[in-house]
Amino acid sequence: MSKITFMGAGSAVFAKNVLGDVMLTPALRESEIALYDIDPVRLEESYIMITALNRNINEGRARVTKHLGVENRKDALRGADFVVDAIQVGLYEPCTVTDFEIPKKYGLRQTIADTTGIGGIFRALRTIPVLSDFARDMEEVCPDAWFLNYTNPMAMLAGYMQRYTGIKTVGLCHSVQTCTRPLLRNLGIEYQEPVKERIAGINHMGWLLEVINGDGTDLYPEIRRRACEILDNPPDGFRDLVRLEYIRRFGYYCTESSEHNAEYNMFFIKDKYPELIERYRIPLDEYPRRCINTIARWNDERKLYVTDNVTHTRSLEYASYIMEAMVTDNAYKIGGNVLNTNHSLIPNLPAEACVEVACLVNRAGVQPCAQPALPIQLAAMNMTNINVQLLTIEAAVTKKKEHIYQAAMLDPHCASELSIDDIVAMCDDLIEEHTRGGWLPEYH
């Protein structure tokens, strides 16, 4: 019997997906499931939901416990085999609001702000200390557990955990398994399974390097042709124009959405060229809108989850498949975020970088698969983000403000819009606001 601890169990919909998947997996159905959160209301709602789910789809086989607050965190973790991390430090209010509103005062607009850029930097800085506490507790009470991280900014958090803690960990994202087939469908390309794909890069900027149809045909020539046709005359409602522009200019499609990638570079969100926002249909302030809508929807739909009738169908989330592979030794392939130690996985990216590559999972754990060097233009694009990731981790470890400034100065979006003085002043305002709210330790 395995023990699975879910950190941030108040994320009810995601907890339902992961833990519902666990209950529908024969090798995991009798697990002990420990729910942990710091919000008593959200924890109780998730406990009611998961308990009902256990009864409805699992005949009560699992043992479900709840653990509230930092003082009970070690009990939640004690003896765990798997720890799933899905926390958001600071939530929408106040921290996400801060991440958007202060940069706006300097003329810096964002779309999602959870991966890189100034929003991603500060999300990492307030989350790394919490993950450090998790790791310290795990090293004491479940040192052999696997830490399955779903929290953003993925590369910064997974990179920190892999370099500065003794915990076995892999970063997991939805974007790899939802990349190729939606692209083919959106371009109107008929395909035949099994489609062979190869993806490598970094989280949210992994590159679709090969797409081979089930009949052996290389689909990329047709992908490139149709991408250019759509860019020249976009259909009404088509929202993936940024990534199609990547295909036209850099030759390859990337894993994460256009609204994300619009802010990962210096090309699209530019005060001097406001027409680009309309041309590429870029949804500025998208993440705050999503947060507001999600909160409202949860208030309306809570009764559908916190109910005796809740049920579940197994999802495509990696977590249960990873646990199953490790417990049964039946191999499974994932796209995982792992350290590029000794340049062993992607040779033309830094050894300290957290890269996203295919990984084999079995009883031996997560085993990353080495890739050829990326095309030089793709490695260069990744490096613009890796620079920010590595300096943000350095800031979190050293507590030096200068590394926060340097991370922001090297961010392509910040640097293309603001002067050095404005970047430093913006960082100072964000540091002051976060420190005042207790979300950051003291920096010097």
Side-chain angles (χ1 to χ4, degrees), residues 142-197:
C142 57
D144 295 324
W146 271 92
F147 187 78
L148 309 182
N149 181 59
Y150 278 98
T151 298
N152 282 322
M154 178 63 65
M156 298 186 202
L157 302 184
Y160 169 80
M161 292 288 283
Q162 289 159 357
R163 290 172 61 195
Y164 291 101
T165 78
I167 295 303
K168 295 184 292 188
T169 182
V170 62
L172 305 173
C173 183
H174 323 272
S175 60
V176 172
Q177 65 263 51
T178 58
C179 174
T180 304
R181 286 156 188 82
L183 167 65
L184 298 174
R185 289 194 293 268
N186 289 340
L187 296 183
I189 296 175
E190 294 185 5
Y191 60 91
Q192 175 183 326
E193 295 290 359
V195 172
K196 174 186 172 184
E197 62 186 6

